[in-house]
Amino acid sequence: METEYLGYAAGLLTTFAFVPQAYRMIRTRQVRDISLSWAVAMTTGSLLWLCYGIARESLPMIAANGISLVLLSIILALKIRHS
Amino acid sequence: METEYLGYAAGLLTTFAFVPQAYRMIRTRQVRDISLSWAVAMTTGSLLWLCYGIARESLPMIAANGISLVLLSIILALKIRHS
């Protein structure tokens, strides 16, 4: 049970880390220093981690990667739109 | 077993995603569009995911977050140095 709290703490950090990044991209419309390869790999990777979380029955992984996937899709769309 | 392959595929993507990002930061020395909050939260979060992976005995999580932690520490150092 304590292990799961650790997972939720990790998930909160790595998920909501994308919020200021997305906000900065929306506010400045500057995306030059963001690597497109990074955005594509992270979005695809999050989807796979989500599937892995479901297979391993890890609620923190499912929650964190589900939300990350949405935020990363926004970041990827902004990168493509403003490049 | 197949589940673990899924984890390794996810880990390869989300870990090596940081390589082009770090490379771009080293090459251009431009870090303005990278959010400091993002870099701090991701580095701390990776450390916690690594601990979670150890607790859940997930080799893909241990490998992916161990390497991510190193790469994110480099990105964080570059952000602080070139800001």
Side-chain angles (χ1 to χ4, degrees):
Chain A
M1 198 61 217
E2 275 168 22
T3 302
E4 298 309 293
Y5 287 127
L6 185 63
Y8 285 117
L12 275 175
L13 283 164
T14 56
T15 300
F16 290 100
F18 294 118
V19 174
Q21 185 60 63
Y23 176 71
R24 172 177 285 231
M25 292 171 83
I26 291 166
R27 188 169 50 84
T28 66
R29 298 189 184 189
Q30 294 293 315
V31 297
R32 198 189 47 192
D33 303 342
I34 301 292
S35 158
L36 178 64
S37 319
W38 170 82
V40 170
M42 286 300 285
T43 308
T44 318
S46 269
L47 177 64
L48 294 187
W49 276 127
L50 176 63
C51 299
Y52 181 76
I54 293 167
R56 292 281 306 239
E57 295 178 354
S58 162
L59 269 182
M61 291 196 75
I62 294 167
N65 287 292
I67 301 167
S68 292
L69 187 59
V70 174
L71 293 169
L72 281 161
S73 302
I74 293 169
I75 287 173
L76 181 59
L78 287 166
K79 171 66 186 174
I80 292 166
R81 186 177 179 179
H82 294 308
S83 278
Chain B
M1 199 59 217
E2 275 168 22
T3 302
E4 298 310 291
Y5 287 126
L6 185 63
Y8 284 118
L12 275 174
L13 283 164
T14 56
T15 300
F16 290 101
F18 295 119
V19 173
Q21 184 61 65
Y23 176 71
R24 171 176 285 231
M25 292 172 82
I26 291 166
R27 187 171 50 84
T28 66
R29 296 189 185 189
Q30 294 293 316
V31 297
R32 198 190 47 192
D33 303 341
I34 301 292
S35 156
L36 178 64
S37 318
W38 171 83
V40 170
M42 286 300 286
T43 308
T44 318
S46 270
L47 178 65
L48 294 188
W49 276 128
L50 176 63
C51 298
Y52 181 76
I54 293 168
R56 291 282 305 240
E57 296 180 354
S58 161
L59 268 182
M61 292 196 73
I62 294 167
N65 288 292
I67 300 167
S68 292
L69 187 59
V70 174
L71 292 169
L72 281 161
S73 302
I74 293 169
I75 287 173
L76 182 58
L78 287 166
K79 170 68 185 174
I80 292 165
R81 187 175 179 183
H82 295 307
S83 280

